[in-house]
Amino acid sequence: MGLAATITIIFSVIMLGYIFAKLKILSDTTGDGLADFVFVVSTPLLLFRTMVTADFSTGNPWALWLVYFTGVIVAWTAAHCGIRLMFGRDRRAGVVAGVTGAFSNLVFLGMPLMLGVYGQEGLVIISLIISIHMPLMMAASLMLNEWALRKDGVISGETGKADTVIKFFSTLLCNPLVIGILTGWLVRLSSFSIPQLPMQLISMLADVSGPLALFAMGMGLKKFGISGNVIAAGVNASFKLLLMPAVVFVMAWFLGLPPLSAKVAITAAALPSGVNSYLIATRFGVGQGLSSTSMVLATAASALTLAMWIALAQAVWG
């Protein structure tokens, strides 16, 4: 299947989810249920299976991580400074803008896209990014929000540090995606062979992750919608869709990443922000409208920008 056809199908499934929610053929609670199933059951099992069965012997994960997270740092910094300098928002809004401008939708959109465009090998590479993406992004969000609260005088310098650390680790260790990754690595390192019947069950549930994630994502876009801050959100989305993949592109070329790793890293960087950025904004109690609107605008625009970045990466790396 060609690139154009693959992207058309993927975004058609997202659009169908949006239409079904918009026309109230399916309720918001149905969309929430689908998203919960994908997040709690299907995708953790897909990550578990990938960690257990994939061949990680080729490529250098450290170079991949350096390339990708350089893009994260640059996009986060640009989005943080942009919302503060251009729109006069406070530091906490800057943190939300930063995470929205750098937190790619690697799970709900990224994994189905990589599987469709690059096959199983592409899924293995994005799984390497996902394995440290969630912990690092959560830690950065919490630490920077703590810094913003102290700088703005909301909390004193002597309070809240221990609670922040405890909340971070408790949230992280209860995250189904993290559980799936860690469990998969434990099974892999133990050399335990999973019997055929349980593995078939795992595969059956894991294989529905892609289409259900895309459909649930479409329903979620209708739920979150455009909540004002359109100009600020548009600027923020441009950092996510244009600046971050451009930085990753240059870094991948400069460090000489293997062709498939380079293409997956650039595609991952070009993904729009996902629902995690909105959930972080809700938890911090600031920037919910900015995050929601940016997520919707970026997802809509990414149907074109993703195709551009994938085609450009294929033109350079083959």
Side-chain angles (χ1 to χ4, degrees):
M1 187 184 299
L3 172 61
T6 299
I7 291 181
T8 299
I9 289 173
I10 285 173
F11 279 90
S12 294
V13 177
I14 295 173
M15 181 59 67
L16 281 173
Y18 180 86
I19 291 171
F20 271 62
K22 185 71 173 178
L23 298 179
K24 300 187 184 302
I25 299 171
L26 294 174
S27 65
D28 288 344
T29 54
T30 301
D32 292 340
L34 285 174
D36 286 344
F37 176 80
V38 170
F39 183 75
V40 176
V41 179
S42 189
T43 301
L45 288 175
L46 178 60
L47 290 168
F48 171 84
R49 185 183 66 182
T50 302
M51 297 301 122
V52 171
T53 62
D55 180 10
F56 293 114
S57 60
T58 58
N60 180 1
W62 293 101
L64 175 69
W65 292 335
L66 176 60
V67 166
Y68 184 81
F69 285 98
T70 299
V72 168
I73 292 169
V74 173
W76 190 312
T77 303
H80 179 102
C81 294
I83 200 69
R84 296 206 64 210
L85 297 177
M86 297 172 63
F87 300 96
R89 301 292 295 271
D90 62 16
R91 290 182 177 88
R92 287 195 300 152
V95 174
V96 170
V99 71
T100 304
F103 203 140
S104 291
N105 190 349
L106 296 180
V107 174
F108 278 64
L109 179 55
M111 296 186 75
L113 180 66
M114 298 303 171
L115 191 60
V117 176
Y118 302 118
Q120 189 64 36
E121 291 182 351
L123 186 64
V124 171
I125 294 172
I126 196 175
S127 295
L128 285 172
I129 298 175
I130 291 172
S131 67
I132 65 168
H133 181 258
M134 177 75 72
L136 288 179
M137 298 299 280
M138 286 176 58
S141 301
L142 289 171
M143 287 189 296
L144 288 172
N145 186 62
E146 184 88 358
W147 164 81
L149 289 170
R150 296 180 192 282
K151 282 290 186 180
D152 291 340
V154 178
I155 61 174
S156 69
E158 302 300 324
T159 61
K161 292 182 179 179
D163 288 342
T164 299
V165 173
I166 292 171
K167 286 179 182 178
F168 167 69
F169 282 105
S170 61
T171 302
L172 184 64
L173 294 176
C174 291
N175 187 289
L177 302 181
V178 175
I179 293 171
I181 292 167
L182 292 179
T183 307
W185 276 113
L186 287 174
V187 172
R188 185 185 187 93
L189 294 174
S190 70
S191 299
F192 174 74
S193 180
I194 301 175
Q196 183 178 4
L197 187 60
M199 200 62 187
Q200 286 179 340
L201 176 61
I202 289 170
S203 294
M204 181 181 293
L205 292 170
D207 288 341
V208 301
S209 173
L212 286 182
L214 295 171
F215 196 88
M217 181 182 169
M219 294 190 71
L221 291 177
K222 181 268 174 186
K223 177 181 176 181
F224 296 119
I226 304 293
S227 305
N229 302 278
V230 174
I231 296 177
V235 172
N236 213 55
S238 69
F239 290 135
K240 182 70 201 69
L241 299 180
L242 300 176
L243 176 62
M244 185 171 167
V247 172
V248 172
F249 190 102
V250 171
M251 286 294 295
W253 176 82
F254 180 75
L255 292 181
L257 273 190
L260 184 57
S261 294
K263 291 187 285 188
V264 169
I266 293 163
T267 304
L271 292 166
S273 54
V275 70
N276 278 313
S277 59
Y278 177 79
L279 297 178
I280 289 171
T282 301
R283 178 172 181 175
F284 293 165
V286 63
Q288 296 96 320
L290 172 67
S291 179
S292 172
T293 303
S294 179
M295 178 178 64
V296 173
L297 293 178
T299 301
S302 68
L304 296 176
T305 56
L306 269 170
M308 177 192 75
W309 284 113
I310 293 171
L312 186 58
Q314 289 182 340
V316 173
W317 280 277

